Amino acid sequence: MYLLLRVKGIMVNSSQFPYFILTAYLDMGYLKYLYFVIVLLLYIMIVVANSFLIVTICMKRSLHEPMYVFLCSLLVNQLYGSAGIFPFLLLQITSDTHTISRSMCFLQIYCLNTYASVEFCNLAVMSYDRYLAICCPLHYKARLTSNKVALFITLIWLYSLIKFLITLSLNLRLTLCGNVIDRLSCHNYYVVKLACTETSLNNIYGFISGTLTILVPLIPILFSYAKILRVCLSSSKETRQKAVRTCSPHIASLINFTFGCCFETLQSRFDTTGVLNLLRIFLSFYFLIGQPLFNPIMYGFRMSEIRNAKVFSVIRLSALLDQWSNTVVPANTTRNVLHRKGIQVYRKQGGLNNTI
């Protein structure tokens, strides 16, 4: 059944838009294959780097601490957010017609919004974890038990998923009088602008939801770092150095993600046609590209526990190869000698013991 609406004196059939047209894609010619390879490599790097850290945290028993469990949740969310945009971009780059179905558009909006909310909330809980570790070290394990960690993570995800289900349901009720979006992907703000019915409820809830998305994580972050700063100012130099060392990856990740979200929000609210197209594209996706690449580097190389766990994993692999080479390669070969040196280093670190 067709619903006819009169908009500016023109009769518009509101059921004629089963898909949206994305007009921000340029005519790239044969360069689209180069861009396809670049985006594909970025996606592979994100998946490999985040998955490797997740597996390392899960497999290494010494990393089964609240801080690393929260980090694991953060990395899983980054894989979730990347899955919501990268496969879609790869399809669009090689396609001649840049369209997306209505249902997939709303699903993409839901995915990207929940990703941003989970990321901020996860960073907030991680700041609280750092506060307890630095300001209340004697009560750390009592206040942050494994059950509380599981509860925190569950609440983070449920809060974000349910909050944006309401946004999604409000969007689905809208009658749209257009289907052209000047973006590379679907965006909630641009879809609501296409509505020819009343959007006051969407605007009010959008304001409330946006405020909650910012304030709910911001309050514990400010509280935690205010307490940490107070303790650092009244403590020894060694304590301050330790606090900086443990907090710097989290602060860097928080700043990086905040800037990415600010770029995306400002670009959607203000006219940026004067900005170079490639720069606009980069800034609009930075919160989806920068964070999943930045966090594995920061946490993987800055935190000694994870760095050592990765080294041990490599040496363990070397030891397993040594077992295999004993049955295939003579013991005096160069490869076997290198493997044995790796085993000796690993044994000195307390690993492998009598497994070989």
Side-chain angles (χ1 to χ4, degrees):
M1 182 177 180
Y2 294 104
L3 174 64
L4 296 179
L5 298 170
R6 182 174 297 275
V7 183
K8 295 181 181 180
I10 301 174
M11 299 301 292
V12 181
N13 190 338
S14 66
S15 66
Q16 64 185 333
F17 305 125
Y19 60 87
F20 294 96
I21 301 171
L22 305 172
T23 60
Y25 288 90
L26 306 175
D27 184 12
M28 297 175 287
Y30 289 109
L31 281 177
K32 67 181 180 181
Y33 299 108
L34 174 62
Y35 293 136
F36 176 86
V37 172
I38 292 172
V39 173
L40 180 62
L41 288 176
L42 280 173
Y43 188 40
I44 291 172
M45 288 170 60
I46 288 170
V47 172
V48 170
N50 286 272
S51 298
F52 182 69
L53 277 187
I54 291 169
V55 171
T56 300
I57 292 170
C58 292
M59 297 296 291
K60 192 70 177 176
R61 190 175 295 276
S62 62
L63 298 180
H64 292 180
E65 297 290 335
M67 177 180 177
Y68 301 108
V69 176
F70 291 137
L71 175 59
C72 193
S73 173
L74 192 77
L75 298 171
V76 169
N77 182 55
Q78 289 167 180
L79 291 177
Y80 165 70
S82 300
I85 192 64
F86 276 95
F88 171 77
L89 283 179
L90 291 171
L91 288 173
Q92 290 295 321
I93 288 172
T94 55
S95 176
D96 294 326
T97 56
H98 306 294
T99 61
I100 181 172
S101 67
R102 184 186 175 96
S103 58
M104 286 302 297
C105 182
F106 286 121
L107 180 61
Q108 187 177 73
I109 291 171
Y110 179 75
C111 179
L112 299 186
N113 278 278
T114 50
Y115 156 76
S117 179
V118 170
E119 193 80 1
F120 263 130
C121 291
N122 218 127
L123 288 169
V125 173
M126 291 173 76
S127 69
Y128 176 70
D129 169 81
R130 292 300 79 206
Y131 154 70
L132 290 179
I134 294 171
C135 301
C136 312
L138 299 179
H139 305 285
Y140 177 74
K141 291 187 177 180
R143 291 193 184 185
L144 211 56
T145 62
S146 57
N147 288 337
K148 287 183 179 178
V149 171
L151 178 63
F152 274 130
I153 293 174
T154 303
L155 288 176
I156 286 169
W157 284 85
L158 284 178
Y159 162 74
S160 300
L161 295 174
I162 293 173
K163 182 177 64 174
F164 283 103
L165 270 178
I166 300 173
T167 303
L168 184 63
S169 63
L170 290 175
N171 287 350
L172 289 173
R173 72 180 181 85
L174 294 175
T175 302
L176 304 180
C177 293
N179 67 336
V180 177
I181 301 175
D182 187 24
R183 299 277 296 184
L184 295 178
S185 61
C186 283
H187 193 285
N188 183 65
Y189 177 74
Y190 286 85
V191 171
V192 174
K193 282 178 66 177
L194 294 174
C196 44
T197 52
E198 182 60 42
T199 60
S200 297
L201 187 59
N202 293 69
N203 295 334
I204 293 170
Y205 182 76
F207 175 77
I208 295 171
S209 177
T211 303
L212 289 175
T213 301
I214 295 171
L215 288 183
V216 168
L218 186 62
I219 291 172
I221 289 171
L222 293 177
F223 168 82
S224 299
Y225 279 107
K227 292 288 187 180
I228 290 171
L229 182 62
R230 183 180 177 183
V231 169
C232 289
L233 291 175
S234 60
S235 301
S236 63
K237 182 179 178 181
E238 184 181 352
T239 302
R240 288 196 295 269
Q241 289 175 343
K242 183 179 179 181
V244 170
R245 187 170 62 253
T246 57
C247 292
S248 57
H250 177 264
I251 294 172
S253 177
L254 182 62
I255 293 173
N256 182 63
F257 189 66
T258 302
F259 274 121
C261 289
C262 286
F263 291 148
E264 168 64 4
T265 303
L266 292 174
Q267 185 174 242
S268 63
R269 297 299 190 274
F270 298 98
D271 183 18
T272 57
T273 53
V275 182
L276 187 67
N277 282 327
L278 286 178
L279 181 60
R280 276 201 303 159
I281 292 169
F282 174 76
L283 293 178
S284 64
F285 287 114
Y286 182 76
F287 80 109
L288 287 163
I289 299 173
Q291 193 74 351
L293 287 173
F294 182 81
N295 279 341
I297 295 172
M298 281 300 298
Y299 285 100
F301 291 101
R302 288 283 299 170
M303 303 192 72
S304 59
E305 295 86 350
I306 294 179
R307 188 170 63 248
N308 293 338
K310 291 195 294 183
V311 171
F312 287 159
S313 298
V314 173
I315 298 175
R316 185 184 295 273
L317 177 61
S318 177
L320 293 174
L321 288 173
D322 182 78
Q323 281 186 319
W324 172 79
S325 64
N326 282 337
T327 61
V328 179
V329 185
N332 59 353
T333 61
T334 302
R335 189 161 86 180
N336 216 9
V337 171
L338 291 174
H339 288 164
R340 291 186 181 280
K341 286 182 179 179
I343 296 168
Q344 291 172 4
V345 173
Y346 187 65
R347 282 174 174 165
K348 288 179 181 179
Q349 299 293 336
L352 206 58
N353 296 328
N354 299 318
T355 57
I356 295 185

